[in-house]
Structures are given as structure tokens and as C-alpha cells.
Amino acid sequence: MTAIEDETLFGWDATPGIVSVWADQEGQALIWQRAGADLTCSRERFRPWILATRLDDLGRLGERLAEAGSPGADSAVVRYRALDGDEGSYRFLLTAPSGRALARTILTGASARLGRPIRGLFELDDYHRVGNVEQYLMASGRAYFRGLRFDDLRRMQLDLETTSLDPETGRIFLVAVRDSTGFEVTLEAPAPGDEPAMIAALAALVRERDPDVIENHNLFGFDLPFLWRRAEEHEVPLALGRAPGPALLERHLEGPGGKKARFTIAGRELIDTLDAVRRHDFVARDLPSHRLKDVARHFGVAGPDRVYVPGPEIHATYCRDPERVRRYALGDVREVDALSRRLLLAPFALAGMAPRRYERLASAGPATGVLEPMLVRAYLRAGAAIPGPGGGGGAELGPHAGGALHLFATGVAERVVKADIASLYPSLMGAYRIGPASDRLGALLHIVERLLTLRLQHKAAAREAQRSATDAGHHEAMQAAMKLLINSAYGYMGAGSIALFADRAAADEVTRRGRAILDLIIDGLRARGVALIEADTDGVYFAMPEGTVEADERALVAAVAATLPAGIRLEYEGRYRAMFSYEVKNYALAAHDGEVVLRGVAFRSSRAEPFGERFLREALRLTMLGEVASLRALFLATVAALQRRSLPVAMVATRTRLTKTPEAYLATRAGHREAAYEALLTAGRTRWAPGERVRFYRARGGIHVWLPEDDDDARREDKARDYDVDHYLRTLVVSYASRLRKAFAPEDFERIFRMEEQMGLFDRPVSSVVPLWIRCPL
């Protein structure tokens, strides 16, 4: 598929190898293209543009305003093009040699019309403007990365090590740098006076290595703001840009009151892997935290000789053992590279479709951040007006009726099957032609239908290309990107006033038909004698009768699928040995290979103690297998380990993210004390920053003790095991064992999780206790 074959999806200009675009408000665009090791840059002029519902505010221009193509238009300051659309829509495309002058002209006219000063276009609903690069890409029909694979990019990872989290009180003493060629180095400033030269050396190194992309974990939240402030302090120019564009790192203030800073570099894309991690966890809900070290271990990309140093101790460690900190910092950038390879393939593929910078697509939501630019590009290409302000939001329709969600049973089931309703909402949109009423071109439905087809092609190609990791990775990235867009289409219609093509009535119709389809599936399964467990628009979990095998499961799903309307696919997704149904969307699965899969917030917490998480996972496995005697033994063994203090303190410590500054906490401390901050204060720490993650545990006497994030030292455990045993025994029962209550009858639950090892005289043996089984009807 090339850009020319489907303009709505890919644009219409097939220019290959674009790795970065820079554009300004004066209509100048720089386009960098890569072909293997060769990099070229071309300069183009374009006319900045703004969409408008009216021309009233331009009346003072007189002859300097003209319709495009009319006599005298070439000499007009502002040209307009009337787009096909009704009054109230954005039906005028305004262009000028200078976007800044165009905006200023509009603001002057609007201020006169309204009788009050207008400071920016954001105050006027009558105008719609996108960023400079987006303007260029939409007008030209171009997109990033045509003909490139992810590994063709020159990517650089950099990570700062600082004496403090606050750039006002701390400084940078080391920067670790690596790139996708395997180059690695650390730049160092042992003494405070060395910092300016090191910052200048970093800028020179970036220019020398000339990456297309610069990456780090929390790049926007920490590294770039810190680097900016320290360079500003020393009056060192951050000349990181790519010639012939502006040399300096650019800082833009966005959001209400201009409080949020965004950074850009001409010719280079800035990627924060923390955004990708958050996006992954929003869907998968499987990460212990979003911290780089935890995520790297979760994905198995942490090196076997990985060095860990507690954050507050990094500088002190550097002073006595600099080589250890060098290894630690290089470990960070290696992990960032590995996370990028794993999590950024889909945003890379999206950049080949949507008219936005790669760095913005990597952090944007797929609905308004990706779909909407594609829709606006399609409408401008067709000369059609886009919906005006207050279009199809549908606030007057009342609460949105969402998708169906059924919990049929709690307890434990065996021979469990998951049947997936493949892309239900997008399929319904296509099958019943449900799209926004304001989308007169049918562009959204076209995008959904084409992506559904193309995604299946890429999935098939990925399976066929397994022997070629590069080809398989490309096709997997494409199908993942397409899945993101497909699944965001329904949400886009229901996004209300933040989406130009929103249509609440259409979104409601999709969910209404979705509920009807789910009812058909539920009725079909129930008629075939299965035990229904849980169902929603993603799929259905059910238990099969005793004696059935996988072939029976597949045949049953196929039989129900055959009863569904054309275009709606029910697919056999998987089978499990057992399932513990706890609450709606909260369950545990025991796979046939022994793996335990946990889903839902009931079984995970960002503050969970490791000993409790380990106990819960094994307890769930034993419960699903019906091994109640072993479950009782596990509980007693955990109790005994706590009572003997044989568990290291790292196993009872909890980790939390700080949200308050020291000043904010101290202001409220008298009325409400919080364990995490008390642990830091007890340890003598008076400085910290919101966003920092800290570990602590409860010691004897109710004192909370800070445990630094040094994984190696914590596991060697050379600290006194002084934790509060009674507190953690209560935690074991209340926070962990209690999540198994719905698996047993009340009296059996109390018997299994009784602290005393000796049973009562009239208690029946634990070996006779069974879970509350979910059985198929006879």
C-alpha cells in the first residue's frame, strides 16, 4: 500500500525517508530525509493557514483580502478559499505569507467586533488552527518514515545524573549517552565548575553524532527541564539542533496560564519512553510501576550485570566509586533503547499515516491526536468544510449508554474458554454504516474499513515472516498501529466537545447494537449448556462441561459465530485450566502451562508489599487447582516467616510515588501524618520532589523506615529485620488472603486462613474443603 493508493489513510505525496520536519509561522519548512547513511535537507515555502467560520474579522483589510484564484489574489495579504459546507462550519481556509501576521490581523478584527481585547485565537471558537508542522504536512500530503523501518532511524539515548532533583539547588555531574550504532560514552563534571563545559560538550556530541531521535525515560518530566535550567544558569547555549534549522533547544509554554513546558529541537524528534510505558499499562495493567528499572525487569531487558544505585546515593557513590555510577548510568540508556524498540514500533508506524510529528504521535492519544488530523487532512484535500464549534457533542442527550458488562458468577471454574468479539465497535460501524453525521465525506468509516482489511493483511504477513525478524517486526508494528486507530474510532465519536467530528447519537447507536450482539452471543452459549462467567464487548468467558476437549470448544464457538450478523466475528481466543472470578473485570486465570494471569485492580496495587504479592499469586494458583491443603500450608508458612522475621525488609516494604513538596507536607503534617513522608523525615531527608518513588516499611513501635532503592543491597539484606510483625500479619489477612473470600464458603475461608496451626475439635479437615465451583447446568 502506497500513499497514492489511499490518500485518506496515508496522504497523497509519496516523498520517502522523512525523519523530521521543522516549520515556522513565516511559512518556511525544513524537511530532513534519510536514505541509509545519507541525510539530506530541503527547504520549502508554504502558506500558513487557519480555518474560520466567518470573514467578518478581516473586513478592515479591504483589497488586501481576496478569494484564492480571483483577480488580484496574488497581491492580497490574506487569501481565503471557500470550502463546501454550511454556515457555522469551518468553511473558510485563510492563508497568508506569515501565520503570525494572519493571527494578529484576526485578533485585531475580533477585538473590534467584540468590544474587548482578545489575546489569542484560543479565546475564539470561530477559528481552528493546528501546529506549524501539522499545517505543512496536511497541506503537502506528506508523512514521516515512508520506506523506512524502525532500525533505519539514528536514535540517541541520553540520561542525566544530578546532585539533586531540583535544578535550583543541584547540578549535573554526569551524562550517559549511547546511540543505535552501539556508541557509548559518559560525559562528566566532577567539580561544580566543570558543569558548563560538560553541557557544551554534550551539545557538541549531539551535533557530531547527529541523531534523528533523542530518547530517555521521563525526558520531558526531568532531563530536558533540568538541562534547560542548568544551561540557563551558566549561559551556555543548548545548540542541539540540526543544520540548517535553528540551533537551540526550543522551549514552549502551553496549557492554562502557560504553565506546562514542551521542548522541541529542529531536525530531531524527542521521545519519552515514559509516555509509551503509560500507554502500555493503560491497556495491559500488568506493570509493577512505571519506573525504568521496574519496567526493564518486567520486559526482561535488564542486563544480567545491571548495576543499581539508590537515587539519593548516586552522587555520593560517584565521589568514592565513579566507575560504579558510570556502569549504572549506561545501564539506564541501554534499557531506554530496549524499551524504545519494544514499545515505540506502533507510534513509528502511525507517523507514516497521520500528519503529525513523530514525537507528538508518540505521546498523543489515538483519537483526537491521530484520527482527527487524518480527517482534517482529508477534508482540506476535498475542499470540504469541517464541522464548526459545538458540532455533534450531544451533551443534551444525557448520560451516554455504554457497552454491556455482565458478571454471571463468582468462584472458581475449570475448562475455561475465552471467545473474543473481534473489533466489535469498529465492525458495527462498518456493518451498519454508523458514522458521525457531520462526516459528510464518510472519511471516518473509510478509515475504519480500510484499516480492518489492512490489519488482517499485516497480521498474516507477520505470521509468514517469522523467519525474518525485521519483516515480522514491521508487520507487527503496522497491525498494532492499525489496531490502535480502529479501536479509537468509536471513542472519538463519543469524545464530545474536544473532537471536531464527535457525534454522541452515533456513539450511542454503536453501543446499543453492541449490547444486542452480546445478548445474541450469550443466548447462543447458554443454549449450548456452558457455564457463563463474564461477558462484555471485548469477549466472553465461560466454562465447558466435563469431558470436553479443545476441538469441542472451537466447534461450539464456531456454531455461535455462525448465528451472528454479517461483518461481526466471534473468534476462539484461548483456553485455560481454571479461572477465579472475583468481581466484574477482576479475575485470575490458570493457563495450561502453569502461568497465572491476573486481571483488574483487585489483584494489583502500586503500593503492594512483595511478600503479599508473592503469597497472593501462589494462593490463587492453588485455589484454582483446588489444592486447598497446600493453600493452608502456604498461609501457615507465610505466617511463620513473618513471625520469625526470616523475610528481608525489602519483602515487606511498600513503594509509593510522592505527590507533595516538603513544604506542602509540613504545612499539613500536624493534622495528618503520611507514612512515606514520615519515613523520609525520620531518615533525615528534608528534600524530595513530587514524582519521586520511595520505599518504606513499618518497624516496631509504628515507626516508618525509608528503604533506599538499592536492589542489590536490599536483596543482600544487611539491615536489621525490625519490622512490625503484628502489622504485617494483619496485612497478610486483610489485604491479601481476603481477596480469596469469594472462592470459599465463609466457614471454610475462616478455617483456611486461621492463624493458629491447631484446628478446633469439631473442625472438618482442610483436605475436605473445596472451592465454590462454577459448574455447567445439567
Side-chain angles (χ1 to χ4, degrees):
M1 173 63 65
T2 67
I4 303 302
E5 293 175 16
D6 198 318
E7 295 182 357
T8 304
L9 273 182
F10 299 101
W12 51 90
D13 187 308
T15 299
I18 295 176
V19 292
S20 194
V21 176
W22 176 88
D24 64 16
Q25 294 192 65
E26 303 309 311
Q28 178 183 208
L30 297 172
I31 302 95
W32 286 270
Q33 293 171 259
R34 178 169 294 286
D38 296 328
L39 186 77
T40 59
C41 180
S42 58
R43 188 187 303 267
E44 295 189 11
R45 300 293 306 181
F46 73 102
R47 290 181 66 86
W49 54 267
I50 295 174
L51 290 167
T53 64
R54 61 201 307 150
L55 295 177
D56 307 26
D57 297 330
L58 301 174
R60 296 188 176 191
L61 289 175
E63 293 182 354
R64 291 178 296 165
L65 171 68
E67 184 170 7
S70 67
D74 290 345
S75 60
V77 175
V78 177
R79 301 176 198 165
Y80 71 88
R81 176 185 173 196
L83 304 175
D84 180 23
D86 300 327
E87 185 174 351
S89 63
Y90 292 111
R91 58 196 179 104
F92 298 106
L93 177 65
L94 312 177
T95 69
S98 166
R100 184 177 288 106
L102 175 58
R104 189 164 53 244
T105 300
I106 292 171
L107 295 178
T108 300
S111 296
R113 173 171 58 87
L114 297 173
R116 60 183 176 86
I118 303 299
R119 296 167 298 169
L121 291 178
F122 62 87
E123 297 183 38
L124 301 170
D125 290 338
D126 297 309
Y127 300 91
H128 179 75
R129 180 172 66 177
V130 299
N132 301 326
V133 172
E134 284 78 8
Q135 289 183 40
Y136 169 77
L137 292 174
M138 288 180 184
S140 66
R142 293 181 171 181
Y144 277 49
F145 305 146
R146 300 204 195 286
L148 297 180
R149 301 294 177 93
F150 187 78
D151 286 340
D152 294 328
L153 295 181
R154 296 293 177 86
R155 297 181 299 110
M156 172 181 282
Q157 299 79 37
L158 60 84
D159 182 59
L160 309 185
E161 300 302 339
T162 64
T163 60
S164 165
L165 296 176
D166 185 351
E168 301 299 332
T169 60
R171 66 179 179 87
I172 307 167
F173 68 88
L174 183 147
V175 183
V177 182
R178 78 174 306 280
D179 67 26
S180 50
T181 69
F183 170 83
E184 292 185 341
V185 71
T186 59
L187 306 177
E188 300 174 38
D194 300 330
E195 187 182 29
M198 183 186 64
I199 293 174
L202 173 63
L205 182 63
V206 170
R207 297 193 302 272
E208 176 191 340
R209 302 300 300 177
D210 200 21
D212 305 322
V213 180
I214 295 177
E215 304 169 328
N216 197 31
H217 201 71
N218 203 20
L219 181 71
F220 296 127
F222 179 74
D223 296 270
L224 288 180
F226 202 106
L227 179 61
W228 173 276
R229 181 65 190 94
R230 298 310 299 163
E232 184 180 54
E233 174 73 18
H234 297 300
E235 299 182 347
V236 177
L238 283 174
L240 304 173
R242 189 176 240 171
L248 299 181
L249 175 71
E250 298 179 77
R251 181 171 175 261
H252 314 271
L253 296 178
E254 299 180 337
K259 294 181 180 180
K260 182 179 179 182
R262 184 173 69 85
F263 296 88
T264 59
I265 300 176
R268 312 191 200 282
E269 305 295 302
L270 298 174
I271 297 295
D272 192 334
T273 53
L274 180 58
D275 290 331
V277 164
R278 287 169 173 160
R279 186 168 52 246
H280 167 89
D281 202 35
F282 180 79
V283 176
R285 303 286 186 182
D286 61 353
L287 296 178
S289 80
H290 295 164
R291 181 172 169 263
L292 175 63
K293 281 74 171 174
D294 293 333
V295 175
R297 283 194 292 265
H298 173 83
F299 285 118
V301 298
D305 57 350
R306 179 64 157 107
V307 172
Y308 296 96
V309 182
E313 298 178 15
I314 292 175
H315 184 243
T317 304
Y318 176 78
C319 292
R320 65 176 183 269
D321 187 359
E323 181 57 30
R324 179 173 176 81
V325 174
R326 292 180 192 121
R327 291 171 56 203
Y328 164 82
L330 288 172
D332 278 359
V333 290
R334 290 167 191 157
E335 289 178 351
V336 169
D337 171 55
L339 286 182
S340 179
R341 291 176 181 278
R342 188 177 188 103
L343 298 178
L344 283 159
L345 293 178
F348 173 84
L350 288 175
M353 305 179 206
R356 297 200 77 183
R357 292 191 69 170
Y358 170 49
E359 66 181 31
R360 301 308 297 270
L361 291 169
S363 59
T368 55
V370 183
L371 274 176
E372 186 159 285
M374 296 170 71
L375 293 170
V376 172
R377 177 181 62 190
Y379 269 69
L380 293 180
R381 176 68 164 169
I386 64 176
E396 73 284 355
L397 298 178
H400 173 53
L405 182 60
H406 302 284
L407 179 65
F408 296 103
T410 59
V412 181
E414 297 177 301
R415 298 173 298 279
V416 173
V417 174
K418 167 76 181 297
D420 175 56
I421 310 172
S423 301
L424 176 60
Y425 286 167
S427 296
L428 287 169
M429 291 172 64
Y432 295 100
R433 310 302 301 163
I434 306 171
S438 58
D439 182 9
R440 296 175 296 109
L441 301 181
L444 183 62
L445 283 179
H446 173 80
I447 288 173
V448 168
E449 290 172 333
R450 290 296 297 135
L451 287 176
L452 283 168
T453 300
L454 290 173
R455 183 183 175 226
L456 293 177
Q457 292 177 7
H458 281 289
K459 287 184 73 173
R463 288 193 296 269
E464 294 172 3
Q466 287 304 313
R467 286 177 294 181
S468 170
T470 301
D471 287 344
H474 166 70
H475 291 298
E476 282 292 349
M478 290 299 296
Q479 75 86 17
M482 291 174 176
K483 181 179 180 180
L484 279 173
L485 287 183
I486 290 167
N487 291 338
S488 68
Y490 152 74
Y492 178 74
M493 292 198 303
S497 60
I498 66 171
L500 289 169
F501 292 86
D503 189 329
R504 255 290 307 281
D508 285 347
E509 177 63 8
V510 171
T511 54
R512 185 189 71 79
R513 289 190 178 271
R515 292 192 297 272
I517 293 294
L518 188 58
D519 287 343
L520 280 176
I521 293 170
I522 290 169
D523 291 344
L525 290 171
R526 184 178 283 124
R528 288 164 174 81
V530 304
L532 292 164
I533 303 171
E534 179 176 306
D536 63 14
T537 47
D538 290 328
V540 184
Y541 284 101
F542 59 90
M544 293 289 290
E546 189 173 355
T548 52
V549 295
E550 182 176 348
D552 301 320
E553 299 164 358
R554 291 183 177 276
L556 186 147
V557 172
V560 175
T563 68
L564 302 180
I568 308 301
R569 304 189 310 279
L570 181 69
E571 299 175 347
Y572 181 91
E573 183 175 287
R575 61 198 306 261
Y576 300 91
R577 183 172 176 179
M579 175 179 182
F580 170 43
S581 174
Y582 180 71
E583 292 175 348
V584 63
K585 302 294 282 185
N586 287 271
Y587 51 83
L589 298 164
H592 284 276
D593 63 2
E595 181 186 6
V596 173
V597 179
L598 306 182
R599 291 286 184 264
V601 296
F603 295 127
R604 63 189 294 268
S605 168
S606 60
R607 298 188 57 163
E609 296 87 352
F611 90 92
E613 288 186 315
R614 185 175 67 179
F615 165 81
L616 181 60
R617 181 172 289 272
E618 179 62 10
L620 287 166
R621 186 186 72 84
L622 294 172
T623 298
M624 288 187 285
L625 299 183
E627 298 179 8
V628 179
S630 296
L631 175 61
R632 169 69 176 164
L634 170 69
F635 176 73
L636 292 176
T638 307
V639 168
L642 287 169
Q643 290 174 333
R644 293 194 304 266
R645 290 194 174 89
S646 59
L647 296 177
V649 292
M651 291 298 291
V652 300
T654 187
R655 179 183 286 114
T656 189
R657 185 182 298 276
L658 303 179
T659 60
K660 299 177 181 178
T661 63
E663 294 76 17
Y665 177 65
L666 292 174
T668 61
R669 186 186 185 205
H672 177 58
R673 299 202 171 197
E674 299 179 49
Y677 301 100
E678 290 301 310
L680 293 176
L681 292 173
T682 301
R685 282 195 60 185
T686 59
R687 303 304 306 169
W688 60 79
E692 181 182 354
R693 296 189 70 88
V694 298
R695 288 193 306 173
F696 63 94
Y697 66 95
R698 177 170 165 142
R700 292 186 181 98
I703 298 172
H704 291 97
V705 179
W706 173 50
L707 187 64
E709 292 282 0
D710 187 333
D711 294 60
D712 291 338
D713 289 346
R715 285 170 184 159
R716 285 196 298 270
E717 190 53 41
D718 53 6
K719 300 177 175 64
R721 295 175 181 177
D722 57 345
Y723 49 82
D724 184 338
V725 169
D726 290 339
H727 167 76
Y728 287 108
L729 288 174
R730 288 192 300 272
T731 298
L732 174 64
V733 175
V734 174
S735 297
Y736 297 103
S738 64
R739 301 184 203 186
L740 294 166
R741 281 191 181 277
K742 294 182 180 179
F744 299 97
E747 62 276 12
D748 290 335
F749 176 87
E750 298 300 332
R751 184 174 297 112
I752 296 168
F753 298 110
R754 179 184 296 167
M755 290 283 186
E756 298 79 14
E757 188 168 354
Q758 184 65 41
M759 288 293 182
L761 182 61
F762 298 103
D763 287 339
R764 65 190 179 99
V766 171
S767 58
S768 66
V769 174
V770 296
L772 294 174
W773 294 112
I774 300 171
R775 300 296 192 191
C776 295
L778 298 176

